[in-house]
Amino acid sequence: MTDFIQLVLAGAADGAIYGLLALALVLIYRSTHIVNFGQGEMAMFATYLSWSLLDAGVPFWGAFFAAIVIAFFIGIIIHRVLIHPLEGSPELTIVIVTLGIYLFFNSIALWIYSGVPKVYPIPAGVPRQSWEVGGVFIVPYHVTIFAILFGLMMLLFAFFRFTKVGLAMRAAAAQPLSSTLVGISVPMMMMLGWGIAAAAGATAGMLSAPIVVLEPNFMATILIFSFASAVLGGLDSPVGAVLGGFIVGEVSALGGRYIEFIGNDLQIVLAFALIVLVLLFRPAGLLGRPQVVRV
Amino acid sequence: MEMVRRIEWRRNWFLIGLVVGVLLYAFSGPLDEVNARTDAPGSGLLSLAGPIGVGLLFFGVVGILTLVAARVLGPIAAKSATNRRLMQGLGAAILLLAFVFLPWYYDIFPYATLYKLTIALQWVMVIIGINLLTGYTGQISLGQGAFFAIGGYTLGIASFHEWSLPWAISLLIAPVITGILGFLVGIPSLRLKGPYLALATLAFAVIVMPIAKRFEEFTGGVQGIAMFGKIKLWDVFADHSDYFWYYLSLAAAVLMLVFVWNIMHGRIGRALIAIRDNEIAASAMGVNVALYKTTVFGIAAAFAGFAGAVNAAVIQFASPDQYSTLVSIRVFVGAVIGGVASVPGAVFGGLFTQFIPDIAADVSKAAADAVQAVILIVFMYAMRGGFAGFVVQTWHYGRRGVQLLRPAASREPATEASAAASAPSPSGSE
């Protein structure tokens, strides 16, 4: 039983990270209806930047927040320079451009930092020793991940619920034309959406780097899990993305343990199966709104 | 100054590019020397000048040749359909001959070796499949690298690792297996569109290698399957195995090109284009959308599978390292840059996929993909039809009459204007 609880806890920690990156995907999908294949690599690059800062002697939390701010501006620049001019282009074009972003950051990271894995420290002030509660080991770092995810969710909720900019962003996503009429600059809101998504992605990257090693491809696998989470939760539902993240985290942790065929290596197959099953049987996801297409 | 402002930049950029390219190329030598003397981190960027210069030069030369061809040959082709077909046939024959005799003169091209050209032909095969799937049927697949890998492993497992079938038979089994798999993968694709399909196929590409590593007893796990020296060719070819694989790849690529060309210029092709442009209308016209889509998926997968099997035979190895997810993305990029809705574009795309990393490696070994990414993004803004689209556009431009300056002061005789008025086609799917 303790074994099971232990697994559930580990799965939830992974799930929180998937949920965070899925949240980034959802924010972009909601505002621009683009599935951003470059999201993971953008996050990877931001993580490397924070590693550089740490390497230069900046204290952990300073590097952490600096990387988030830089990622925010990278997101804004990418939208401004690459995505915005393509508005109204065919889907194929936009998919290709986001793939270009993927390739670009992947190879730039390889160029600057080489493929040698780097050790990324766990945040300063978080104890390394696990706490034992009734036979179950609780990893303090996992608690940190939950706390950050929870804090970020609250922040985003408040931002989208109570601030003028947040409301304007929601309006721009839901009704671009009407929003323009009431004076909201829709491109500006989309740009902000890209910035916030990039910042959320960077957070996910920096939180997962201590668990896996930091190397240029480390987000590729996490991206697939996050896609699974976003699709499961519904690509236009932020709450769904986080919920989906937890479900995907649990499914892969428990599946890896109890389905002998899956083991530790094939958890990603479960993510793939989830993606296909959800897209086939409930394309809108758990919390998403079904899309009605007018013919 | 007035002259400069009146230049038609948009249409004549490749002429200007030619001039800039020549200048950049001329100065790239001295720049390289500067580069060699400093070891500051950003100085590698200087050596970009040479490759960019060559790239611009290339487009300039191709553009001018196309313009000349359009002026000289265009009127003849426009006279009758027979003329047109004759000239198309002639063009294809010249291209084919160029490839047939390539082993005798490939060393005039930088970076080219027979081995690399053989592999480039295998990329051409994969890309033809992508053309059929994405360009003509409108389904984005980022998973072709997975079929490529499965093809390679099929050869390894069936002939060397698990069973000992003759390798020639394994080469033929590989496309059958991947074709069936592709057909199955195509079934979910019936309900998925655009980015969703891209996502599902990308996930497919990602899971293949973990699966290969898991079934170690079949696939050799991380070490892969080595076939060094185990592939015995017939005595006739034994001393010329590199030529044998080159011509085998060439023959297969040509067969696939002809196959796709024929499909696209017939009933099936029209049905596929109808599905791409408006699926609902197509099904209302009696096109069996489900059957066509899954079949096309199967065909594209079979092409990739065969290419993968030949590839494994040539490099005599099949291991997880050579089939990363990036392979899928790279061939897709090659297809897009060649021209995703163009059969001849696949040839350019294959060469691009194989040789751009070499060219980019001059700048930095690791930056190859970054260079590809930049080229890709530039293409998406400037030439959405890819290289083939560029040639088609330039051809039409040439037919209508070259215009260096804006119309206000143009003294170009408008002789050809009426004859070419019917020529422009927006899709550029020639």
Side-chain angles (χ1 to χ4, degrees), chain B residues 100-181:
Chain B
V100 167
F101 290 107
L102 198 55
W104 280 273
Y105 65 89
Y106 64 82
D107 38 2
I108 62 169
F109 299 109
Y111 309 109
T113 61
L114 197 57
Y115 172 76
K116 282 179 179 172
L117 287 167
T118 310
I119 292 175
L121 284 171
Q122 286 144 18
W123 297 133
V124 173
M125 296 183 216
V126 182
I127 289 173
I128 300 164
I130 298 180
N131 276 349
L132 186 65
L133 193 59
T134 306
Y136 293 125
T137 323
Q139 306 190 84
I140 305 172
S141 168
L142 301 178
Q144 295 309 105
F147 296 116
F148 189 77
I150 295 170
Y153 269 109
T154 305
L155 175 75
I157 293 170
S159 285
F160 302 105
H161 199 266
E162 196 67 21
W163 299 287
S164 43
L165 290 173
W167 56 266
I169 297 198
S170 303
L171 275 190
L172 295 178
I173 293 175
V176 174
I177 290 178
T178 52
I180 294 171
L181 261 175

